[in-house]
Amino acid sequence: MNKLTKWWNGPWMVPTVSGTLILLSFFVARVLGSDPVSNLLMVAAAAVAGVPIAIKAVRALMVRNISIDLLVSIAAIGAVIIGEYWEAAAVTFLFAIGHALEARTMTKTRSALAELVAVAPDVAVVLRDGEQVEVPAGAVATGETVLVKNGAKVPVDGVVIGGNGALDEASITGESIPAEKTEGDQVFAGTVSRGGFLQVRATGIGADTTLARIIHRVEEAQDAKAKTQAFMDRFATWYTPGIMAMALIVGLATGNVVLALTLLVIACPGALVISIPVTVVAGIGRAARDGILIKGGEYLESSARIDAVALDKTGTLTEGRPYLTDVVVLDPASTREEVLTWAARAEAGSEHPLARPVLEAAAAEGLSTAGLPEATEPVPGKGITATTGGRRVLIGNAALLEQYGVADTVGAARAAEELAAAGRTPMIVALDDAVLGVIAVADQVRMDAAQMVADLHAAGVQKVVMLTGDAPLVAQAIGKATGIDEVRAGLLPEDKLDAVRELQAQGHTVAMVGDGVNDAPALAVADIGVAMGAAGSAVAVETADIALMGDKLHKLPESIGLAKRTVRIMRQNIVIALATVAALMAGVFAGGVTMAIGMLVHEASVLVVIVNAMRLMRRREPATTQVAPAPAAQPVEPARVG
């Protein structure tokens, strides 16, 4: 009974009933020889299929919109009046089939959204008063402990506080390989446990989860119109009344009512109207499945024109987690352990981000930092000075040594320059009035960074530019390792904005990729702002034009390639639709194209356009140019090493 009700309320009920009446009409006419009954059945078929069309036409007129449905309604009513019952039935029946196909296609192209909704968990197992309690997922309170067992869906966003396991995060990041999760790792609602047992502290529930935000974003994106679609809507607004006027003039000039009604039918721009939205929805749906959130059709279309990409360095081309790479001993009376120990003791009281890798390296080697220094003073642009154990320690550049009158007699500046040229950030270490050595830290270049740059070029991007606040020598080394076309270093946030504007002034369509914080001005002014690794970041998901949910660089060229495919298919569909209408109109004036034949060819063009758009739903691996991975930082041997 439920299936029957679903079918009765579905898009295929009207064409099925109408088609059945048409077959009965032919049967009555050919077998029983009753033309009046046959004609009555044919009119009934036209009414069944035509009434919904007429209702839509009237509703459109009420909001001052002359729609395609009005063309078909006038043609069908006119055909009935002049006794062309078969033509009336055929036109409305075929148009109803077209509507059903469109509805089914839009449902299918929105399947990515349906899949996201389907993975939303219904229940959660919560630990309350030491007992495991099963509750609706929406009833979990923030801060509660949720248990995730093998095979279960994670019901909330949260942080692992106990246990370990593997989660399938394909619904969030598009990655099919399960991610290992241990204490301290973040998990997302809708992901599925593929093994292990996790205790998760809930941080996001219900509409506040990453999955809910993605669903909301995809809903809005699939409804947003591309510029081409908006143009086509305006075109149809003028085109439809123009066709009606032309049909009226032809009818009055020739006295041929059938010809005028036929023109109304075959000139329907149905394929043209459906060609853009079905393509946009399919493209955005395909992207969502792959963990790429595109804000709407306009941004999808703009992404196809991207020919310059500006990249932040830290966290995009690099891992965003610096580590100690070198300890260069320059004082013959000192050892490696002494240089690192004094540096760590001084950095223990520093807020500088490079203090952490120094402290971590000292701790890993079992060196004592003896608590906090007695005093720590940052020297902007130069480094820090600290007093620890009654001794003064300087850590910074050559300008810091000069400011405090420490003579560089052991070649520290030259050693620092060599380290910087190799892509490290060097820091000279001086104790009291003597230079002990140089330490260096580096941010590891991502293994897939060079491949990503090569893939961007393969996708049609002419220029890949690095915009970073880091030192020029460090930036140049990373740019060389990854194949970046242009490196701009030592930039403040406003400098990055100016760099993007400069690229735009050169005629480029620019995509800016960054973390959305210090890169916010540049992201805002770029033609397309791209947020990397946006899973879990509400701000990134809501504000970026494109949000790459997984922290995978290959998704950037993949998104540009998908945008180009979508626009290419969009243009193909426009050509198919316009060529079909032009050929049919020529056929009508030349003779031989009837109302029924015209509508049949017209609906066939709708089907071709739909099938062409559906090709986007197939996943296609992007073409890549194989390059060697970016090399990890290697120790540098300066001229003098103690």
Side-chain angles (χ1 to χ4, degrees):
M1 189 65 182
N2 288 337
K3 287 185 178 180
L4 181 61
T5 303
K6 185 177 179 180
W7 173 83
W8 183 261
N9 294 321
W12 288 101
M13 186 277 290
V14 168
T16 301
V17 174
S18 178
T20 302
L21 289 171
I22 290 173
L23 292 176
L24 282 174
S25 175
F26 283 130
F27 175 79
V28 169
R30 300 293 172 84
V31 178
L32 303 180
S34 176
D35 288 338
V37 175
S38 173
N39 291 339
L40 186 62
L41 288 169
M42 201 65 80
V43 172
V48 168
V51 167
I53 299 170
I55 291 173
K56 290 181 181 178
V58 171
R59 286 175 178 170
L61 280 174
M62 290 174 68
V63 293
R64 299 181 180 181
N65 180 24
I66 301 176
S67 65
I68 300 169
D69 300 279
L70 183 62
L71 293 182
V72 175
S73 299
I74 293 173
I77 293 170
V80 170
I81 292 173
I82 64 174
E84 297 287 346
Y85 306 124
W86 154 242
E87 299 287 357
V91 166
T92 52
F93 168 67
L94 289 169
F95 198 71
I97 287 180
H99 269 306
L101 282 172
E102 290 173 23
R104 183 179 182 279
T105 303
M106 293 304 281
T107 299
K108 186 171 180 59
T109 52
R110 291 179 187 272
S111 59
L113 181 59
E115 288 176 9
L116 286 173
V117 173
V119 301
D122 299 320
V123 298
V125 177
V126 183
L127 200 61
R128 291 178 177 172
D129 299 324
E131 299 287 334
Q132 296 186 24
V133 182
E134 188 172 290
V135 299
V140 178
T142 302
E144 282 196 296
T145 300
V146 177
L147 306 181
V148 181
K149 303 176 183 179
N150 184 23
K153 292 179 182 178
V154 179
V156 296
D157 281 6
V159 177
V160 178
I161 58 174
N164 57 74
L167 295 183
D168 181 349
E169 296 185 329
S171 59
I172 302 295
T173 65
E175 295 300 321
S176 58
I177 300 174
E180 294 294 330
K181 299 292 181 180
T182 57
E183 190 171 341
D185 289 339
Q186 191 172 18
V187 299
F188 306 108
T191 56
V192 182
S193 174
R194 297 304 183 197
F197 179 80
L198 297 173
Q199 297 178 48
V200 176
R201 185 180 71 251
T203 58
I205 59 173
D208 195 35
T209 63
T210 299
L211 178 63
R213 290 193 293 268
I214 293 173
I215 291 172
H216 176 67
R217 177 65 177 273
V218 176
E219 282 177 334
E220 289 187 332
Q222 291 189 332
D223 289 334
K225 293 183 177 181
K227 289 182 179 178
T228 304
Q229 183 180 348
F231 169 77
M232 286 301 169
D233 289 345
R234 293 194 300 271
F235 171 78
T237 301
W238 292 99
Y239 176 85
T240 304
I243 291 299
M244 293 177 67
M246 182 190 71
L248 179 62
I249 293 170
V250 169
L252 293 173
T254 63
N256 190 337
V257 178
V258 174
L259 175 62
L261 294 176
T262 303
L263 282 174
L264 282 179
V265 170
I266 62 94
C268 289
L272 189 62
V273 172
I274 191 63
S275 63
I276 309 303
V278 73
T279 307
V280 168
V281 170
I284 289 175
R286 175 70 267 169
R289 285 183 176 180
D290 295 338
I292 302 167
L293 294 187
I294 301 175
K295 203 169 190 176
E298 178 183 350
Y299 303 98
L300 182 66
E301 203 170 349
S302 297
S303 297
R305 300 194 302 272
I306 291 172
D307 58 2
V309 174
L311 300 161
D312 181 38
K313 176 182 74 68
T314 305
T316 302
L317 293 171
T318 63
E319 298 288 352
R321 186 178 176 83
Y323 63 100
L324 187 76
T325 57
D326 300 87
V327 178
V328 180
V329 183
L330 297 175
D331 180 8
S334 298
T335 64
R336 182 184 186 282
E337 288 73 18
E338 288 176 338
V339 174
L340 182 55
T341 297
W342 284 113
R345 286 179 179 178
E347 293 285 12
S350 171
E351 297 179 353
H352 196 275
L354 296 184
R356 183 184 52 78
V358 176
L359 292 169
E360 287 180 349
E365 296 185 21
L367 303 177
S368 174
T369 57
L372 295 175
E374 293 92 69
T376 304
E377 181 183 352
V379 183
K382 298 178 182 179
I384 65 167
T385 174
T387 302
T388 176
R391 310 286 294 274
R392 185 189 69 185
V393 183
L394 303 178
I395 302 181
N397 53 26
L400 182 67
L401 299 184
E402 185 178 345
Q403 178 175 329
Y404 282 87
V406 178
D408 178 13
T409 60
V410 291
R414 186 178 61 198
E417 187 175 329
E418 291 181 16
L419 287 165
R424 286 73 177 260
T425 299
M427 294 174 282
I428 300 171
V429 181
L431 181 64
D432 295 327
D433 294 322
V435 174
L436 300 184
V438 181
I439 61 174
V441 299
D443 193 357
Q444 179 71 46
V445 177
R446 288 177 183 256
M447 292 297 291
D448 52 352
Q451 183 67 60
M452 181 268 291
V453 174
D455 289 347
L456 283 174
H457 287 139
V461 175
Q462 299 172 10
K463 182 180 287 189
V464 182
V465 183
M466 181 202 298
L467 305 179
T468 179
D470 210 340
L473 284 175
V474 175
Q476 289 290 349
I478 292 175
K480 183 178 180 181
T482 55
I484 294 289
D485 299 310
E486 183 180 336
V487 175
R488 301 190 184 192
L491 303 181
L492 297 172
E494 54 267 31
D495 297 326
K496 293 183 179 182
L497 183 148
D498 292 338
V500 170
R501 283 179 172 162
E502 184 181 327
L503 289 169
Q504 291 172 326
Q506 294 171 4
H508 293 291
T509 299
V510 184
M512 174 66 195
V513 187
D515 58 17
V517 181
N518 64 322
D519 302 312
L523 284 167
V525 79
D527 297 286
I528 296 292
V530 183
M532 283 287 299
S537 171
V539 175
V541 171
E542 294 298 330
T543 61
D545 300 325
I546 297 178
L548 308 180
M549 302 308 295
D551 199 21
K552 302 291 184 181
L553 291 180
H554 70 81
K555 289 187 181 295
L556 179 57
E558 191 176 316
S559 64
I560 295 175
L562 176 61
K564 289 180 181 293
R565 282 178 60 206
T566 302
V567 170
R568 187 164 58 246
I569 289 177
M570 197 185 295
R571 290 171 179 165
Q572 291 170 0
N573 283 346
I574 292 172
V575 171
I576 291 169
L578 291 177
T580 300
V581 171
L584 283 174
M585 291 186 71
V588 169
F589 285 112
V593 175
T594 65
M595 192 185 300
I597 291 175
M599 183 53 77
L600 181 62
V601 174
H602 169 75
E603 292 304 330
S605 70
V606 171
L607 185 59
V608 170
V609 161
I610 287 172
V611 170
N612 194 35
M614 292 295 287
R615 293 192 295 128
L616 287 167
M617 298 302 292
R618 299 199 313 264
R619 177 172 176 80
R620 191 173 74 176
E621 294 299 327
T624 59
T625 304
Q626 293 298 321
V627 298
Q634 298 296 325
V636 174
E637 295 297 334
R640 295 182 60 186
V641 179

